Amino acid sequence: MEHIRVNPKIRLEQVNTSMAEIIFLTIDRDREFLKKWLPFVNYTSKVEDTKAFIESITRKDNKGDLVYSIWHNEEFAGLIGFKDTDWVNRKTELGYWLAENMQGRGIIIACVEKLIRFAFQKQKMNRIQIKVAEENLPSEKIPVKLGFIYEGTERQGEHHQKGYVNLKIYSKLKHEIPE
């Protein structure tokens, strides 16, 4: 099981099925807050749904998705990870969500920063992208603050509870970060 120490207060631990209950309880507790920007929340109605998700990304044949639980002062805070990784072209996408009571502490920015270095240095990626819903300003601050370049908008790229939303695409290339 892989652990990544982000800083003295934050650690990442590769997701496993033993975490299904705490992840589900956090989603369930923060359902109204999370479902505004996370389509999967509407399809997560019981702990078995979360367990099935974890099983799907931890199977041996899964070569792309690598998802970590975020722990802040040893309290579960959210998830962050790589999705749709393309090993041939050395590119991946970072996605993340954070419990409502963990917002505003700099947790996600620290985790994204750590995983950028991990992807470029350890996984030998060349490109990382982050997609954010057009009106999700708090989430958009992350790639902007970390120097990602805005590339354009994926029109109606994600289906949310009120219909399709546009996704803003930000990217960072390996040569754009100092070694």
Side-chain angles (χ1 to χ4, degrees):
M1 189 59 51
E2 186 172 349
H3 292 72
I4 297 174
R5 180 57 67 181
V6 175
N7 62 36
K9 291 184 176 185
I10 303 168
R11 71 177 169 84
L12 304 177
E13 184 176 339
Q14 200 169 345
V15 170
N16 64 66
T17 53
S18 71
M19 299 173 185
E21 187 171 3
I22 188 69
I23 294 169
F24 172 75
L25 290 173
T26 303
I27 292 168
D28 202 43
R29 180 194 69 211
D30 293 352
R31 187 168 297 280
E32 289 305 310
F33 173 76
L34 294 172
K35 75 179 184 181
K36 182 173 183 182
W37 301 116
L38 302 171
F40 75 84
V41 172
N42 287 329
Y43 306 103
T44 307
S45 58
K46 54 192 180 300
V47 72
E48 289 77 18
D49 297 331
T50 302
K51 188 174 181 190
F53 163 72
I54 293 169
E55 287 170 348
S56 77
I57 61 168
T58 56
R59 286 192 323 255
K60 291 197 186 314
D61 63 340
N62 172 25
K63 303 279 191 248
D65 294 343
L66 183 57
V67 178
Y68 295 93
S69 56
I70 303 168
W71 300 87
H72 181 267
N73 290 329
E74 297 308 313
E75 183 180 345
F76 176 74
L79 296 181
I80 187 167
F82 302 107
K83 60 180 286 225
D84 302 327
T85 300
D86 177 344
W87 291 100
V88 172
N89 294 297
R90 298 297 203 196
K91 61 183 181 177
T92 192
E93 181 179 337
L94 257 177
Y96 44 81
W97 65 264
L98 203 57
E100 187 171 16
N101 67 330
M102 294 288 176
Q103 300 287 316
R105 301 182 192 190
I107 296 169
I108 287 293
I109 196 107
C111 292
V112 169
E113 211 164 21
K114 188 72 168 187
L115 286 185
I116 288 169
R117 294 209 177 276
F118 175 82
F120 288 145
Q121 293 170 358
K122 302 271 194 258
Q123 295 185 310
K124 307 296 184 209
M125 289 292 144
N126 182 61
R127 173 189 164 85
I128 301 171
Q129 71 179 22
I130 295 175
K131 295 181 181 180
V132 294
E134 212 167 42
E135 296 174 7
N136 189 348
L137 301 180
S139 189
E140 187 176 10
K141 287 179 183 177
I142 304 303
V144 169
K145 186 171 183 176
L146 292 174
F148 279 61
I149 304 298
Y150 172 70
E151 292 187 337
T153 300
E154 181 179 331
R155 299 178 310 138
Q156 295 187 3
E158 203 166 65
H159 189 263
H160 288 229
Q161 61 188 11
K162 295 179 182 174
Y164 287 95
V165 300
N166 295 336
L167 298 175
K168 294 175 94 173
I169 302 169
Y170 288 87
S171 71
K172 185 174 273 288
L173 303 177
K174 183 176 183 171
H175 75 267
E176 294 171 341
I177 66 160
E179 288 298 321

